[in-house]
Amino acid sequence: MGLAERKSLRSCIMRPSRPQKIILAVLAFLFVIYNLTPYDSRPRSFFRFQHNVIQDYYQNVHPSDSWLFKPQPYPIDPVNDIAIVVKTGFGTRNRVPAAIQALSNESFSADIIVVQDFPLLPEQKNLTLGSGKEVPIIDIIGWNLERGALKGQEQHERLLKYTTLAEAVEGEEWMLADALGKDMGWELDAMKFLPSLEYIWQTMPKKKWYIMADDDTYIIKSSLALLLGHLDYSQPHFIGNPVGDYKGRFPHGGSSVVMSGAALKKLYDEHPEVVAEGHQESTTAIWGDKLLSTTFMKIGIYLDETYRRFFNGESPWVTRMWIDRFCLPLVSFHGLGHDGDMLRVGETFKNMDEPVFWRQLGKIYGGPDFASFIAEPIRTNVDYVGRLDEYSTTIDKVTEVEECIKACHEHSAGCLAWTLDPGRQQCHIARWAILGEAAEGRLSGINGQLAQKLENSCHPPP
């Protein structure tokens, strides 16, 4: 090849075509726009949302648990390295003793505070863990008012409601206080998030991790420790169970919210002006967990959705064991505020020193073995699908149970449970299974072959 031919070839290789130039220009423009806009701008939020959609799809199609069983680069001691905020309100205050006892059953003797939206009652002053460690209780809205963080908002409707509730409690007008607590509890809850974390950061500033949970949330210590041991606590982390649209993704507070000490340091020590703005916004915010998220966004800390599958917003009895969660640890339960549910869950899990995995719920609660559905696929008067939503599939005009089973097996990689409702002639199939709830007249089962295949793909517990 002559010199002229080599120059011509090199020119063809190095010179981008017109379509390539356009693509590069568009990418460069988007990169500039992304980096020049504020941290909480809609363009940034949109791009991050699309990234999370792609990541979620990949994790759904290719679930993996192998990284969990590698040596932990950042091992933690849950008792000394974690601080917990338990949120309550006047209408749910009676849940708190059970929540604290359940944490004690888990030997979760971490530093814990309880935050509420009313003045302390006499019976609240001696709350302790099973280890004897005292649990402080703080009227967090009162604390925020007294220090001036809500200056200028004293006559706002929401703060006037708080004042009315506080006066009813101090005057021992219990019927009025109960009515107020039930009516406006969600409004006052939105005002607890930012000051609660600020209070615990000021009083317990050296923790590697901070957790915020509702008074009906149960946290499985060993599962949480397994996850956190793989995350660098010296970096800002903000993780949980994501909800909301792209403009403000936020962690579902009931599933628990986990933040690294580095995240709180960056927010409260380095950006007090952003915190002050958030306190002012709390008088109109609808959801406190969303306000927390949008406040973090302003300083470049975003909800990390990588670990969304570890968090659970349901009670054990209706928890959906999803296909893509089968091999992962289960960190939390929610909705345990009725009829001793919290104490029962605390008793069930109190002696479990090893991480609990989603797939183990049936065994823990005495449910049938997955393999038993291979030989005996049909169970009567029970439902293994449970609540229906946009992720379940309903097939109409199904009269025979064999048709429903066939429909599930035709979706062999995406149907873990099926239920036939003969009265409505409907077959429901889903990518999950629950423990099984009583359902008169229904026929239901679990895809035993798929469940066994999923179990065999999981690494054994450490």
Side-chain angles (χ1 to χ4, degrees), residues 76-129:
I76 65 165
D77 172 8
V79 172
N80 296 309
D81 296 337
I82 293 176
I84 302 174
V85 177
V86 176
K87 287 191 304 92
T88 191
F90 189 80
T92 62
R93 64 191 184 283
N94 293 328
R95 297 175 180 175
V96 172
I100 297 302
Q101 183 176 332
L103 287 171
S104 296
N105 285 348
E106 267 267 318
S107 301
F108 218 151
S109 297
D111 289 321
I112 301 172
I113 65 170
V114 173
V115 296
Q116 58 189 36
D117 52 22
F118 59 95
L120 267 64
L121 301 172
E123 63 268 22
Q124 290 185 303
K125 294 182 179 178
N126 295 307
L127 196 60
T128 57
L129 292 170

Side-chain angles (χ1 to χ4, degrees), residues 95 317 335-344:
R95 297 175 180 175
W317 308 283
L336 304 175
H338 304 287
D339 302 325
D341 287 349
M342 179 67 78
L343 293 178
R344 284 195 291 272

Side-chain angles (χ1 to χ4, degrees), residues 303 353 359 362 385:
L303 176 63
D353 298 325
R359 66 183 182 274
V385 173

Side-chain angles (χ1 to χ4, degrees), residues 50 71 102 173 320 342 372 432 440:
Q50 298 306 320
E173 299 178 62
R320 298 190 279 187
M342 179 67 78
S372 69
W432 64 78
E440 186 68 28

Side-chain angles (χ1 to χ4, degrees), residues 298-330:
K298 291 176 183 177
I299 62 170
I301 297 177
Y302 304 95
L303 176 63
D304 187 345
E305 301 187 22
T306 307
Y307 312 102
R308 61 191 299 167
R309 289 169 172 79
F310 292 74
F311 297 88
N312 177 35
E314 299 170 312
S315 70
W317 308 283
V318 295
T319 287
R320 298 190 279 187
M321 297 173 280
W322 290 73
I323 289 173
D324 57 356
R325 291 163 169 76
F326 231 58
C327 298
L328 297 177
L330 174 59

Side-chain angles (χ1 to χ4, degrees), residues 23-35:
I23 292 172
L24 289 173
V26 169
L27 290 175
F29 175 75
L30 293 176
F31 178 79
V32 171
I33 290 295
Y34 182 88
N35 283 280

